[in-house]
Every structure is written in C-alpha cells, then in structure tokens.
Amino acid sequence: MNEASSKFVDNLAIEKLLKEKLIKVTHKPQNLIIDEGERIFDGLYKYELDMSTVKLVEGDKNVNRFEIPSSMKTEDYIENNTIYLYCHPAKEPICNILLLHGLYDDNMFNYAFLIKMLNELKFNVFFMELPFHFNRKPAESSFSGEYFVSADLLRSRNAFIQSIYDIETARKLICNINALPCLLVGFSMGGCISFRYHILKGSFTGTFLINPVTDMLTLVWDNPLLVKVRKDLEDHGFGKEKVADVFKILDPCENINTDFNVDNIAIVYSIYDQIVGEGKNRIFVEKIENAGLKKVFDYHAGHLNILRVPRLSNDIYDFFMKCS
C-alpha cells in the first residue's frame, strides 16, 4: 500500500475502536500500592511447567489449541487464568515461532496471511492470547483487551507482568513438544512485551519485533487510542508523572542494561505508522541504535497493513538463518 492508503487504514481503525468500544467504557485507579523494591520478575528464572496441567484441544484444519494454567492467577478474573496457545503446524518444520498479537486485538484472521507465509517457510507458529484478550476476556468486560490497558493502573501493570510470565510458560510447553529452535515474534503491544522479555531473559533463539509499542511511560498520554483512559485518570487526579512511575519497570527502553543481547534481535517498523506514531518511532529507533541494535528495518507501510507485506515472512526467515 502507498502512504495515503496506509495512513487511512490506521486512522480508520483508531476511529472505529474509539467510537465502537473505547469511548463507551470507563475505569478508575484502584488499590494502587506498588512496592518499588519488589523484584517482580525473579520468579521468571525459577518457573517450571507441570505438563500434567496442560490440556490439548484438537481443532479444525490441523490447528490444535493448548490450554495452560497461567502462573499468575487472580480470583477476580477466572477467565484470564488460562493461557490459550494455538499451534499452526508446518510440513517438515525447521523452527518454532511464538507469536504475540497487539492490544485490543479480537480477530485472529488479522494474522492469517503472516501465519500462512511462515508455515510455507517451514515455521511452526504458536499463537498466544495475551491476558484479558480473546478467550481470556472476563465475562463482565465489554471487549477484547479492555482490561489490559485502562485507568485501573495496577490491573494494567499486572497484565503486562503476567504476559512476561506467560511467554515463559508457552516457551516451556513448546520445548516439550519438540527440540526445534524457537523464535519470539511480537506485533505492536506484543512486540513491546517481547522486547521486555528479551532484555530480562532472552531464552529464545532470537526475538523479532514488528511495530512494537515504543514508549510505555507516555503510552496513555500520547497515544490517540487512549484518550478516554487519559481522561479517566485525570478525572481521578492522576497525572502523567504518576502513570510513568507505574509503567517504568515495564518499559523496555528504560531497562536496557549491559547484559542486553543485541545480536539476536531484529526490529521492523512502519514509516507511515499512525497508531504508534511516526515521531515516536523515530525516537525509539534512535534509542535502540544507541544501545547497539543493528538489525533495524523500515517498511513503507502503516501499523496494521504491515502484517500483509509479503517481505515480512521472508525477513523473519532470513533473521532466523542468521541466528541459528
């Protein structure tokens, strides 16, 4: 797609989400007590998956679903306590991919083209539902992902942390299925979460990010999708600085350290992106290049239509070959 059509698709999606979903709900901060000294990711290095707790559901067209108890459970949201992992197998596979979707996603068909292309390149693709999305959406929630980012900051923070632990759970399961190398691939918010996991643990053969959310600290203040969340926060006396404090531990760019492996991570971004934002992308690219990342590629696409760019699957393949 050209620049005009790419931007049109993104802006149409923003308008549709706001009018049909986001503008209709309201939330408020609750029980916002955070221990800044708490080592929230320590359990990531100790977690062991009990395979006897995994349920296999055979599906149509050779796509099976694994249901796995999340290691972070909440009594208030029982639907969210199970991880759903869909396996799209390839013939004579050479690699596994764990694929994470974007914020507010509610249609797996958005990834059908990319998954098909990856399968043809001999990648098994495991699609993981993020907390509060798809089947993990609580009954009282109006739409997929509503509870993932909202003015209930503690719930949003915990959802991000849970996502990191769920990646590790899914990785453990995939390693039990076969001994093939495995890539972590994340789109949009899934890309941001994947980046944070890579910095924390980096247990995959490589990490490939597609239009990742670039700035958790100002996400709710600057992103066009989250104007209602910002209003909810302001109505309850929460300013930008307080929100930044809540998300600081989650933001990948705020947590890059000397142990950060820059050799097995690649990032692609869309120069016409209207959802993350063209300006945000430029700042993000400068940050990561200063941190030593060299595999940074721009696409002439928008935030959403990048998933249908044929080049994307080939770039993932080339990245894998260089990592393996």
Side-chain angles (χ1 to χ4, degrees), residues 14 19 24 41 50 57 69 82 91 98 113 116 127 136 143 159 186 213 225 228 255-256 269 275 279:
I14 292 171
K19 286 185 176 180
K24 297 180 179 180
F41 293 118
D50 180 358
V57 179
T82 300
K91 294 181 180 179
L98 175 60
F113 178 78
K116 177 179 180 292
F127 182 96
R136 305 179 73 175
F143 54 87
V213 170
L225 273 175
K228 185 61 166 61
N255 293 278
I256 293 176
Y269 69 97
I275 293 179

Short mmCIF file of all heavy atoms in Angstrom, two decimals, residues 14 19 24 41 50 57 69 82 91 98 113 116 127 136 143 159 186 213 225 228 255-256 269 275 279:
data_model
loop_
_atom_site.label_atom_id
_atom_site.label_comp_id
_atom_site.label_asym_id
_atom_site.label_seq_id
_atom_site.Cartn_x
_atom_site.Cartn_y
_atom_site.Cartn_z
N ILE A 14 -8.37 3.40 14.29
CA ILE A 14 -8.42 4.19 15.52
C ILE A 14 -9.83 4.73 15.75
O ILE A 14 -10.39 4.62 16.85
CB ILE A 14 -7.41 5.36 15.44
CG1 ILE A 14 -5.97 4.83 15.47
CG2 ILE A 14 -7.63 6.34 16.60
CD1 ILE A 14 -4.93 5.88 15.18
N LYS A 19 -14.96 4.83 18.68
CA LYS A 19 -16.41 5.02 18.64
C LYS A 19 -17.18 3.80 19.09
O LYS A 19 -18.20 3.92 19.78
CB LYS A 19 -16.83 5.41 17.21
CG LYS A 19 -16.46 6.83 16.83
CD LYS A 19 -17.02 7.19 15.46
CE LYS A 19 -16.73 8.65 15.12
NZ LYS A 19 -17.27 9.02 13.78
N LYS A 24 -16.83 4.08 25.11
CA LYS A 24 -18.04 3.67 25.83
C LYS A 24 -17.78 3.11 27.23
O LYS A 24 -18.72 2.82 27.96
CB LYS A 24 -18.80 2.62 25.00
CG LYS A 24 -19.30 3.14 23.66
CD LYS A 24 -20.02 2.06 22.89
CE LYS A 24 -20.56 2.58 21.56
NZ LYS A 24 -21.28 1.52 20.80
N PHE A 41 10.13 -9.84 38.68
CA PHE A 41 10.45 -10.81 37.64
C PHE A 41 11.35 -11.94 38.13
O PHE A 41 11.77 -12.77 37.32
CB PHE A 41 11.10 -10.11 36.45
CG PHE A 41 10.18 -9.16 35.72
CD1 PHE A 41 10.46 -7.81 35.65
CD2 PHE A 41 9.01 -9.63 35.12
CE1 PHE A 41 9.62 -6.94 34.98
CE2 PHE A 41 8.16 -8.76 34.46
CZ PHE A 41 8.47 -7.42 34.38
N ASP A 50 4.37 -27.73 34.81
CA ASP A 50 3.86 -29.07 35.09
C ASP A 50 3.03 -29.52 33.88
O ASP A 50 1.91 -29.05 33.68
CB ASP A 50 3.01 -29.04 36.36
CG ASP A 50 2.44 -30.41 36.72
OD1 ASP A 50 2.66 -31.38 35.97
OD2 ASP A 50 1.75 -30.49 37.76
N VAL A 57 -6.68 -29.41 23.01
CA VAL A 57 -7.98 -29.42 22.34
C VAL A 57 -7.72 -29.49 20.85
O VAL A 57 -7.14 -28.58 20.25
CB VAL A 57 -8.79 -28.15 22.68
CG1 VAL A 57 -10.13 -28.18 21.95
CG2 VAL A 57 -8.99 -28.03 24.18
N PRO A 69 -2.54 -23.46 32.54
CA PRO A 69 -2.76 -22.54 33.66
C PRO A 69 -1.68 -21.46 33.69
O PRO A 69 -0.49 -21.75 33.59
CB PRO A 69 -2.66 -23.45 34.89
CG PRO A 69 -2.88 -24.83 34.38
CD PRO A 69 -2.32 -24.85 32.99
N THR A 82 -6.21 -18.78 32.36
CA THR A 82 -5.77 -19.83 31.43
C THR A 82 -5.12 -19.19 30.20
O THR A 82 -5.66 -18.24 29.63
CB THR A 82 -6.96 -20.70 30.98
OG1 THR A 82 -7.54 -21.31 32.13
CG2 THR A 82 -6.51 -21.78 30.01
N LYS A 91 4.78 -28.26 7.44
CA LYS A 91 5.32 -29.54 6.99
C LYS A 91 6.84 -29.50 7.07
O LYS A 91 7.47 -28.54 6.63
CB LYS A 91 4.87 -29.83 5.55
CG LYS A 91 3.37 -30.05 5.40
CD LYS A 91 3.00 -30.35 3.96
CE LYS A 91 1.49 -30.58 3.81
NZ LYS A 91 1.12 -30.83 2.40
N LEU A 98 6.85 -18.40 18.48
CA LEU A 98 5.81 -17.99 19.43
C LEU A 98 5.41 -16.58 19.03
O LEU A 98 6.24 -15.65 19.06
CB LEU A 98 6.34 -18.01 20.87
CG LEU A 98 5.36 -17.48 21.93
CD1 LEU A 98 4.07 -18.29 21.95
CD2 LEU A 98 6.01 -17.47 23.31
N PHE A 113 -2.58 -14.30 7.07
CA PHE A 113 -1.66 -14.23 5.95
C PHE A 113 -0.22 -14.46 6.41
O PHE A 113 0.52 -15.25 5.80
CB PHE A 113 -1.77 -12.86 5.25
CG PHE A 113 -0.81 -12.68 4.11
CD1 PHE A 113 -1.06 -13.26 2.88
CD2 PHE A 113 0.35 -11.93 4.26
CE1 PHE A 113 -0.18 -13.10 1.81
CE2 PHE A 113 1.24 -11.76 3.21
CZ PHE A 113 0.98 -12.35 1.98
N LYS A 116 0.28 -18.11 7.39
CA LYS A 116 0.33 -18.95 6.18
C LYS A 116 1.70 -18.85 5.52
O LYS A 116 2.30 -19.88 5.14
CB LYS A 116 -0.76 -18.52 5.20
CG LYS A 116 -0.75 -19.27 3.87
CD LYS A 116 -1.90 -18.79 2.99
CE LYS A 116 -1.92 -19.52 1.65
NZ LYS A 116 -0.76 -19.17 0.80
N PHE A 127 0.41 -19.32 18.29
CA PHE A 127 -0.22 -18.01 18.53
C PHE A 127 -0.74 -17.97 19.96
O PHE A 127 -1.60 -18.77 20.34
CB PHE A 127 -1.36 -17.80 17.54
CG PHE A 127 -2.06 -16.48 17.64
CD1 PHE A 127 -1.71 -15.43 16.80
CD2 PHE A 127 -3.08 -16.28 18.56
CE1 PHE A 127 -2.38 -14.20 16.88
CE2 PHE A 127 -3.75 -15.06 18.65
CZ PHE A 127 -3.39 -14.02 17.81
N ARG A 136 -9.63 -15.04 26.98
CA ARG A 136 -9.26 -14.63 28.33
C ARG A 136 -10.00 -13.36 28.76
O ARG A 136 -9.74 -12.82 29.84
CB ARG A 136 -7.75 -14.41 28.40
CG ARG A 136 -6.95 -15.62 27.96
CD ARG A 136 -5.46 -15.41 27.99
NE ARG A 136 -4.94 -15.40 29.35
CZ ARG A 136 -3.66 -15.32 29.67
NH1 ARG A 136 -2.75 -15.25 28.70
NH2 ARG A 136 -3.27 -15.32 30.92
N PHE A 143 -15.10 -5.82 25.74
CA PHE A 143 -14.42 -6.19 24.51
C PHE A 143 -13.01 -6.70 24.82
O PHE A 143 -12.48 -6.50 25.91
CB PHE A 143 -14.34 -5.00 23.53
CG PHE A 143 -13.74 -3.75 24.12
CD1 PHE A 143 -12.37 -3.54 24.10
CD2 PHE A 143 -14.56 -2.79 24.69
CE1 PHE A 143 -11.81 -2.40 24.63
CE2 PHE A 143 -14.01 -1.63 25.23
CZ PHE A 143 -12.63 -1.44 25.20
N ALA A 159 -1.19 -7.05 34.27
CA ALA A 159 -1.44 -7.75 33.00
C ALA A 159 -0.16 -7.82 32.17
O ALA A 159 0.12 -8.84 31.53
CB ALA A 159 -2.53 -7.03 32.22
N GLY A 186 6.75 -10.64 18.13
CA GLY A 186 5.68 -9.85 18.73
C GLY A 186 5.29 -8.67 17.87
O GLY A 186 6.14 -7.98 17.31
N VAL A 213 5.09 -1.27 20.37
CA VAL A 213 4.80 -0.06 21.14
C VAL A 213 6.12 0.42 21.71
O VAL A 213 6.88 -0.35 22.30
CB VAL A 213 3.79 -0.36 22.27
CG1 VAL A 213 3.67 0.81 23.22
CG2 VAL A 213 2.42 -0.70 21.67
N LEU A 225 -5.36 6.28 20.63
CA LEU A 225 -6.37 5.31 21.05
C LEU A 225 -6.79 5.48 22.51
O LEU A 225 -7.88 5.07 22.90
CB LEU A 225 -5.82 3.89 20.87
CG LEU A 225 -5.98 3.23 19.51
CD1 LEU A 225 -5.28 1.88 19.51
CD2 LEU A 225 -7.45 3.06 19.15
N LYS A 228 -9.53 8.28 26.14
CA LYS A 228 -10.52 8.06 27.21
C LYS A 228 -9.84 7.58 28.48
O LYS A 228 -10.23 7.97 29.58
CB LYS A 228 -11.56 7.03 26.74
CG LYS A 228 -12.71 6.81 27.73
CD LYS A 228 -13.50 8.08 27.97
CE LYS A 228 -14.82 7.79 28.67
NZ LYS A 228 -14.65 7.16 29.99
N ASN A 255 14.92 -0.06 30.60
CA ASN A 255 15.55 -1.17 31.33
C ASN A 255 16.65 -1.87 30.53
O ASN A 255 17.03 -3.00 30.85
CB ASN A 255 14.48 -2.18 31.75
CG ASN A 255 13.52 -1.61 32.78
OD1 ASN A 255 13.82 -1.60 33.97
ND2 ASN A 255 12.38 -1.10 32.33
N ILE A 256 17.14 -1.21 29.51
CA ILE A 256 18.27 -1.76 28.76
C ILE A 256 19.52 -1.71 29.65
O ILE A 256 19.82 -0.68 30.24
CB ILE A 256 18.49 -0.98 27.46
CG1 ILE A 256 17.32 -1.21 26.50
CG2 ILE A 256 19.80 -1.38 26.79
CD1 ILE A 256 17.40 -0.40 25.23
N TYR A 269 9.79 -1.54 11.58
CA TYR A 269 8.77 -0.55 11.91
C TYR A 269 8.25 0.10 10.63
O TYR A 269 8.93 0.12 9.60
CB TYR A 269 9.33 0.51 12.86
CG TYR A 269 10.36 1.42 12.24
CD1 TYR A 269 10.00 2.69 11.75
CD2 TYR A 269 11.69 1.05 12.14
CE1 TYR A 269 10.93 3.52 11.17
CE2 TYR A 269 12.63 1.89 11.57
CZ TYR A 269 12.25 3.12 11.09
OH TYR A 269 13.19 3.94 10.51
N ILE A 275 -0.59 4.63 14.56
CA ILE A 275 -1.04 4.13 15.87
C ILE A 275 0.05 4.28 16.91
O ILE A 275 -0.16 4.86 17.98
CB ILE A 275 -1.54 2.68 15.74
CG1 ILE A 275 -2.82 2.66 14.89
CG2 ILE A 275 -1.81 2.07 17.12
CD1 ILE A 275 -3.42 1.30 14.65
N GLY A 279 6.56 10.00 14.85
CA GLY A 279 7.53 10.66 15.73
C GLY A 279 8.06 9.74 16.80
O GLY A 279 9.26 9.71 17.09
#
